[in-house]
Amino acid sequence: MNIELWTGDITKLQVDAIVNAANERLLGGGGVDGAIHRAAGPDLLKECRAIGGCPTGEAVITEGYQLPAKHVIHTVGPVWHGSSRNEPSLLRACYRNCMALAESRELESIAFPAISTGVYGYPLREAAEIAISEVRAFSTKAVRRVVYVCFDEAGTAVYAEVLGADTRQQKG
């Protein structure tokens, strides 16, 4: 599996699936969630309404609509409470469940934002360690390319340090 870093807007990536750091209602919001809903257009919201929601740690898949990505995998990360409410296990489940959906659909490429690190307050380094270890541990035959997308250079630097020197970095 090829692992890459991308600094920029996840909605611009041409991959089989981008991951949406969604809320449990799947109805859009701020940050990555709002950006994905705006870029995908109103049909994404219609499909999400029909799904009816997603519990924390789980994942569901929709079409990508007006995005370059064919699909959106929506996952609900935990709100950070200092690790007192099972947040690390829930965040691990987000990555495993997204990878499992990609594998079951035989998707070859997937892009992840830094799930739960925005308004949900998860510490970036701890979240990056979980994201990277879960994806690396996932046994896949279909997924050939994983892109970690950070909004800014500071986030990318943290991911690069956790990943080590064996990754390709791009800006977009």
Side-chain angles (χ1 to χ4, degrees), residues 80-137:
W80 180 250
H81 294 283
S83 198
S84 63
R85 298 186 185 171
N86 204 27
E87 298 99 278
S89 294
L90 290 167
L91 188 57
R92 282 195 238 358
C94 288
Y95 286 94
R96 275 193 314 272
N97 289 324
C98 288
M99 289 295 290
L101 270 176
E103 182 71 15
S104 71
R105 297 287 181 104
E106 298 182 350
L107 304 180
E108 293 183 10
S109 56
I110 184 171
F112 287 99
I115 299 166
S116 284
T117 63
V119 295
Y120 283 14
Y122 212 106
L124 181 60
R125 177 167 299 285
E126 291 176 36
E129 289 170 356
I130 288 171
I132 291 161
S133 66
E134 285 302 317
V135 168
R136 282 182 169 162

Side-chain angles (χ1 to χ4, degrees), residues 21-58:
N23 59 55
E24 289 187 340
R25 296 179 330 169
L26 301 179
L27 300 180
V32 170
D33 192 15
I36 289 172
H37 273 268
R38 284 188 298 278
D43 289 333
L44 179 61
L45 181 58
K46 288 178 191 171
E47 187 173 356
C48 286
R49 278 195 179 121
I51 292 168
C54 181
T56 301
E58 298 297 318

